Amino acid sequence: MTDIRHPEELSLLRPIEHKKKKKDKGSAEEVYDLTQVPLSSASKPCLYNGIPAHFADSPQMESVYKTLSVTQPPPSPETLAKRYRPASVVDKAHIHSRWLDSSRCLLQQGIQENDKVWLRFKYFAFYEIDPKYDTVRLAQMYEQARWAILLEDIDCTEEEMMLFGALQYHISKVSLSEPQTASSSAAMDDLETALQSLEVKMEGESSSAAEMLDNLTAPELNDYLKIFRPKKLTLNKYKQFWFKFQDTSISYFKSKEESIGEPIQQIHLKGCEVAPDVNVAAQKFLIKLLVPAPEGMNEVYLRCDDEQQYARWMAACRLGSKGKTLADDSFQSEIQTIRSFLAMQRSGSNSHGNMPANDESINTHSLVSPRYHKKYKTKQLTPRLLDAYQNVSQLSLVDAILRYLQIWQALPDFGISYVVVRFKGSRKDEVLGIAPNRLIRIDLSVGDVVKTWRYNNMKQWNVNWDIRQVAIEFEGNINIAFSCVTTDCKVVHEFIGGYIFMSTRSREKSNTLNEELFHKLTGGHEAL
């Protein structure tokens, strides 16, 4: 798929219809024919002068590659105003009803020649991102993330919006001066390819030994923190305990001296949700954990004393939720990401202090969602965006894109696709949120999460294609069944099967895509 690695994460979406105006001048756009591009089957394609070899065949193909791998400039306010903005979770559900069926051809689904479809990341389980090989993939991820933020398809706080705007401004500025495609000699690429095949071979032989060594040498984190569990009715909300972070779990004890014995409780972080609740000006540093439990999710709040403690523990919790220990290479970079966000908040609250010079080239209408232009004047937004820009202005182009994607992926609602459903035995419509690791039942009237079910607790799922009903069985004799209101149940079946497939990928197998298994899990009765 035009050298986008891991194409299984992508799918095609019917566009939202635009209301056409009578005079629609200047709508001509450049069209590139990609039908002649040979697809790369390798997980890490061979590079030639920094370009995948199958794109280096001709100047025309190089031109196509450079177009696909360059981030687009910020959109004009007019372009932004014309785009469809979902106003509710039901609007979002209608967008997600437009996914095309991956087990049927385009003609069978009414797509004619010259019709437009959108190529989008459908499954938000991005695997093995490597900036050297993922230039096109990163550019597309960034564009999708940016439009999701600008059109408020995903919620974020005001501080986060300013940071997204500052990063977008920086990426646009740097991309004009810094080449986006890495260049390297053909000989170095050949050597690297040889080294990779050797590395894969050795990795397959020693991965279990390496994991054991990692677990033995993984550093620990120990500190006094305060904890609050909303479901426990206590007069004193937060209580202080001695906390120990080890492997991917948090244990806490009455005191440091008692930490050699049995803990009061151990919280396993793998698969849990981690969300920030921070206000630097008010010195509020909370970490909200949603921990999987048989009846749904248990809420736990951890209160940190200061920024340094918060950055360490928040980074550790995020890693733990992904099943990674503190020995993972990303631990320090995660801490830095959190610190830069806190610094941005701090500078925002003290914006009357070191005010940077005004920059005429900054167009606030292109950098934040329209809601903020109703709330603030441009002369109020510009200094706030420039303040946030001070904290990211030294980043390289690739690092800035990666930082943008990191913050996007850390948002509480990241990766959730919505479908309006009717649960068996219920008389009202509800919303089903489909995330990379769980299903979420949402009350449509108030927008609250009612239940959460995780895929790793799923025993089986079936679709009754005659009555168009999805039935799922979870561990602990939990059974749910629902019909879909805004879309065909095949869309939900494909989402669940796709995410189950994504969880089976591993580094040893990543060189080849098991298409047969993918279609078996997503195709339903059409795959049999």
Side-chain angles (χ1 to χ4, degrees), residues 253-446:
F253 308 80
K254 274 193 174 178
S255 65
K256 184 178 180 179
E257 291 70 34
E258 294 187 26
S259 63
I260 52 171
E262 283 295 308
I264 295 168
Q265 189 188 5
Q266 186 177 35
I267 302 169
H268 296 284
L269 292 173
K270 189 174 179 181
C272 81
E273 310 300 313
V274 183
D277 186 358
V278 177
N279 186 324
V280 175
Q283 288 295 291
K284 176 187 174 187
F285 303 103
L286 297 183
I287 300 168
K288 180 182 176 184
L289 302 175
L290 286 171
V291 185
E295 69 282 2
M297 302 289 266
N298 286 336
E299 269 187 318
V300 177
Y301 285 85
L302 301 180
R303 183 187 281 278
C304 301
D305 291 333
D306 52 38
E307 290 184 32
Q308 288 72 27
Q309 191 182 57
Y310 170 79
R312 289 195 304 272
W313 282 88
M314 186 64 175
C317 288
R318 281 182 181 167
L319 253 64
S321 70
K322 297 171 188 170
K324 296 177 181 178
T325 71
L326 303 188
D328 193 86
D329 293 341
S330 61
F331 181 49
Q332 289 305 323
S333 65
E334 191 72 55
I335 290 176
Q336 285 307 113
T337 300
I338 294 163
R339 281 181 179 161
S340 72
F341 177 67
L342 293 173
M344 184 279 297
Q345 256 211 27
R346 192 168 56 249
S347 63
S349 60
N350 300 320
S351 57
H352 54 276
N354 299 319
M355 179 69 73
N358 202 358
D359 189 331
E360 293 302 320
S361 69
I362 194 164
N363 184 349
T364 59
H365 285 81
S366 302
L367 301 174
V368 297
S369 65
R371 177 159 58 104
Y372 290 97
H373 284 281
K374 291 175 184 171
K375 190 174 180 182
Y376 299 109
K377 293 176 181 174
T378 301
K379 65 181 180 183
Q380 292 172 303
L381 282 172
T382 302
R384 290 190 66 185
L385 284 164
L386 287 170
D387 260 353
Y389 172 66
Q390 301 303 305
N391 296 300
V392 298
S393 59
Q394 302 306 310
L395 293 175
S396 70
L397 181 59
V398 170
D399 285 345
I401 291 171
L402 289 172
R403 180 71 58 86
Y404 195 101
L405 295 175
Q406 259 182 335
I407 300 165
W408 174 52
Q409 289 178 71
L411 295 176
D413 295 336
F414 167 76
I416 303 177
S417 304
Y418 301 96
V419 181
V420 177
V421 299
R422 179 73 62 91
F423 279 91
K424 191 176 179 181
S426 174
R427 293 182 177 181
K428 61 178 184 177
D429 288 350
E430 294 175 74
V431 172
L432 183 74
I434 307 166
N437 57 354
R438 69 203 189 282
L439 297 174
I440 308 157
R441 185 174 183 172
I442 301 165
D443 186 315
L444 197 50
S445 56
V446 288

Side-chain angles (χ1 to χ4, degrees), residues 75-296:
S76 68
E78 296 75 31
T79 304
L80 194 54
K82 282 181 193 172
R83 288 291 183 101
Y84 175 77
R85 289 200 302 280
S88 67
V89 74
V90 175
D91 286 352
K92 293 175 188 178
H94 281 291
I95 293 172
H96 291 294
S97 71
R98 306 176 76 86
W99 287 109
L100 294 179
D101 191 331
S102 65
S103 56
R104 297 164 69 208
C105 75
L106 297 181
L107 278 173
Q108 284 177 304
Q109 299 177 75
I111 305 295
Q112 304 295 322
E113 192 174 353
N114 297 323
D115 283 356
K116 282 185 182 177
V117 288
W118 289 339
L119 177 66
R120 292 281 178 90
F121 283 95
K122 177 179 180 180
Y123 301 103
F124 294 87
F126 308 132
Y127 188 72
E128 201 187 26
I129 295 173
D130 186 332
K132 179 163 186 178
Y133 302 98
D134 285 326
T135 313
V136 172
R137 191 173 171 217
L138 280 173
Q140 186 174 3
M141 272 186 206
Y142 169 68
E143 291 301 329
Q144 192 163 329
R146 179 169 67 149
W147 282 106
I149 299 297
L150 289 175
L151 299 176
E152 296 184 359
D153 191 30
I154 184 168
D155 292 331
C156 66
T157 64
E158 196 166 300
E159 287 80 11
E160 285 162 341
M161 180 61 80
M162 297 306 145
L163 184 52
F164 280 125
L167 279 165
Q168 190 193 164
Y169 175 61
H170 180 59
I171 289 165
S172 169
K173 203 171 180 178
V174 179
S175 62
L176 297 173
S177 57
E178 190 179 312
Q180 206 148 345
T181 51
S183 61
S184 60
S185 71
M188 283 300 289
D189 289 333
D190 290 343
L191 175 61
E192 195 159 284
T193 303
L195 285 170
Q196 275 163 7
S197 61
L198 179 64
E199 183 188 331
V200 169
K201 188 172 181 236
M202 290 178 74
E203 201 172 82
E205 292 164 359
S206 60
S207 60
S208 57
E211 274 175 31
M212 283 170 65
L213 187 63
D214 256 7
N215 289 335
L216 285 171
T217 57
E220 289 182 13
L221 204 53
N222 299 285
D223 252 326
Y224 275 110
L225 300 173
K226 289 175 182 167
I227 188 169
F228 167 55
R229 295 183 293 276
K231 282 192 178 177
K232 294 210 171 186
L233 297 169
T234 53
L235 292 172
N236 187 6
K237 281 190 173 184
Y238 284 92
K239 284 192 173 180
Q240 183 168 282
F241 295 98
W242 178 256
F243 279 78
K244 181 184 282 190
F245 188 107
Q246 193 171 17
D247 295 335
T248 58
S249 299
I250 288 176
S251 304
Y252 61 94
F253 308 80
K254 274 193 174 178
S255 65
K256 184 178 180 179
E257 291 70 34
E258 294 187 26
S259 63
I260 52 171
E262 283 295 308
I264 295 168
Q265 189 188 5
Q266 186 177 35
I267 302 169
H268 296 284
L269 292 173
K270 189 174 179 181
C272 81
E273 310 300 313
V274 183
D277 186 358
V278 177
N279 186 324
V280 175
Q283 288 295 291
K284 176 187 174 187
F285 303 103
L286 297 183
I287 300 168
K288 180 182 176 184
L289 302 175
L290 286 171
V291 185
E295 69 282 2

